């Protein structure tokens, strides 16, 4: 899941793919049943590294953390797991640890305000993690997601926290908001929903 460029960059010593494999194993080992009956797994991980490994990975910290988070989301999706909040991974220095060894400490952690996990995968490939704050979509630069699309209204739609999930609400836009091809005024989002604002499409992921 996390081979990619790292497999070429780190041909000896501790490799990111080893961390990725251990991380998904920690998810499997830590799974539990939530109040709603869903299988819930840890979503927050501290990866403890030795001093030399920590320094070595510092050069690619941002990319590695992003890849590990994506690996966790992909595994959760394939196993029908749920998260209590957004997926987070931190690389932590443990100067008592031997080079080439590492430890992952998993946590169950809610998002701020108690909302569930959710993110928008934008056309650029960037990911916007949703929080208890309302996210706005439109052409205005002050929108949370600014869309350079003439078919999108200045303030087109909002994504609001709702219980343990999120809803998308159209704000009376000229060309409407669509979810999976159907026009909506208000819609509770589910994992994998495709949201269309004019000609711009983003994907909602419940992770």
């Amino acid at each position: 899941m996390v081979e990619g460029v790292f497999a070429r960059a780190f041909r000896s010593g501790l490799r990111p793919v080893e961390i990725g494999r251990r991380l998904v194993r920690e998810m499997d080992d830590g799974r539990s049943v939530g109040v709603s009956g869903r299988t819930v797994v840890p979503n927050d991980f501290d990866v403890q590294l030795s001093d030399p490994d920590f320094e070595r990975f510092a050069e690619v910290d941002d990319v590695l953390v992003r890849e590990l988070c994506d690996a966790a989301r992909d595994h959760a999706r394939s196993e029908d797991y749920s998260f209590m909040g957004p997926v987070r991974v931190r690389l932590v220095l443990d100067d008592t640890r031997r080079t080439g060894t590492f430890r992952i400490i998993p946590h169950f952690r809610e998002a701020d305000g108690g909302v569930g996990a959710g993110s928008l995968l934008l056309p650029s490939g960037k990911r916007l993690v949703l929080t208890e704050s309302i996210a706005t979509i439109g052409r205005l630069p002050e929108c949370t997601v600014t869309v350079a699309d003439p078919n999108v209204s200045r303030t087109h739609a909002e994504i609001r926290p709702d219980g343990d999930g999120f809803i998308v609400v159209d704000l009376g836009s000229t060309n409407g908001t669509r979810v999976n091809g159907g026009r909506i005024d208000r819609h509770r989002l589910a994992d994998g929903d495709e949201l269309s604002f004019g000609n711009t499409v983003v994907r909602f992921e419940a992770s």
Side-chain angles (χ1 to χ4, degrees), residues 83-97:
F83 297 116
M84 295 177 65
V87 178
R88 295 190 180 99
V89 176
R90 286 173 298 277
L91 304 185
V92 180
L93 173 63
D94 179 359
D95 55 15
T96 67
R97 188 159 293 281

Side-chain angles (χ1 to χ4, degrees), residues 6 10 14 16 19 47 49-65 90-93:
F6 299 114
F10 299 96
L14 178 61
I19 301 174
V47 182
L49 300 169
S50 68
D51 194 349
D53 289 324
F54 184 82
E55 286 189 17
R56 193 161 56 103
F57 287 129
E59 299 176 4
V60 292
D61 182 288
D62 291 344
V63 179
L64 175 57
V65 165
R90 286 173 298 277
L91 304 185
V92 180
L93 173 63

Side-chain angles (χ1 to χ4, degrees), residues 80-162:
D80 200 25
Y81 292 156
S82 297
F83 297 116
M84 295 177 65
V87 178
R88 295 190 180 99
V89 176
R90 286 173 298 277
L91 304 185
V92 180
L93 173 63
D94 179 359
D95 55 15
T96 67
R97 188 159 293 281
R98 289 186 296 107
T99 302
T101 68
F102 67 97
R103 181 186 180 195
I104 296 180
I105 302 177
H107 310 274
F108 290 90
R109 190 156 290 163
E110 287 187 342
D112 294 338
V115 298
S119 60
L120 296 179
L121 191 60
L122 306 178
S124 64
K126 293 184 178 179
R127 183 181 298 276
L128 173 68
V129 176
L130 299 171
T131 68
E132 77 279 7
S133 299
I134 293 173
T136 54
I137 295 96
R139 291 201 325 272
L140 291 177
E142 56 263 36
C143 288
T144 311
V145 179
T146 301
V147 181
D149 182 340
N151 295 299
V152 172
S153 297
R154 295 197 301 166
T155 51
H156 194 104
E158 289 180 342
I159 296 180
R160 306 171 182 170
D162 182 67

Side-chain angles (χ1 to χ4, degrees), residues 1 24 27-28 71-81 191:
M1 283 179 290
V24 298
M27 291 169 61
D28 292 336
R73 294 185 187 101
D74 289 344
H75 187 63
R77 207 165 285 119
S78 68
E79 299 294 328
D80 200 25
Y81 292 156
D191 185 48

Side-chain angles (χ1 to χ4, degrees), residues 6-79:
F6 299 114
R8 297 188 294 276
F10 299 96
R11 295 187 181 279
S12 61
L14 178 61
R15 295 168 60 192
V17 67
E18 299 174 57
I19 301 174
R21 288 170 180 159
R22 178 82 61 81
L23 187 144
V24 298
R25 192 159 69 243
E26 292 288 351
M27 291 169 61
D28 292 336
D29 293 344
R31 62 185 182 271
S32 182
V33 179
V35 175
S36 63
R38 296 177 301 175
T39 301
V40 181
V41 293
N43 61 295
D44 191 280
F45 306 90
D46 289 329
V47 182
Q48 296 181 339
L49 300 169
S50 68
D51 194 349
D53 289 324
F54 184 82
E55 286 189 17
R56 193 161 56 103
F57 287 129
E59 299 176 4
V60 292
D61 182 288
D62 291 344
V63 179
L64 175 57
V65 165
R66 185 166 64 248
E67 291 288 334
L68 290 171
C69 288
D70 286 344
R73 294 185 187 101
D74 289 344
H75 187 63
R77 207 165 285 119
S78 68
E79 299 294 328

